[in-house]
Amino acid sequence: MKALYLVGHMKTGDGEDGTGDASMMTLDLPGQLRNAVLGAADTVGRLYRSRRQNILDLDGRR
């Protein structure tokens, strides 16, 4: 089984309606590239550090 891992930076943005009522985390990619990558992904994870450990969160929870 082949796998492709893309690593990118996250950014915080306003919700889709632009009212600022909701904030979301999304990949910091230009234009439609973000939509293409996220639409084709089987899963999206978040990699972060806690003390001296690197943690890959695939559940979307902290």
Side-chain angles (χ1 to χ4, degrees), residues 6-43:
L6 298 175
V7 178
H9 290 274
M10 300 294 291
K11 71 175 183 176
T12 304
D14 289 335
E16 291 294 321
D17 60 0
T19 61
D21 292 337
S23 66
M24 61 182 191
M25 296 292 287
T26 186
L27 281 174
D28 190 11
L29 293 173
Q32 295 298 317
L33 181 59
R34 175 182 54 238
N35 295 338
V37 168
L38 293 176
D42 289 330
T43 190

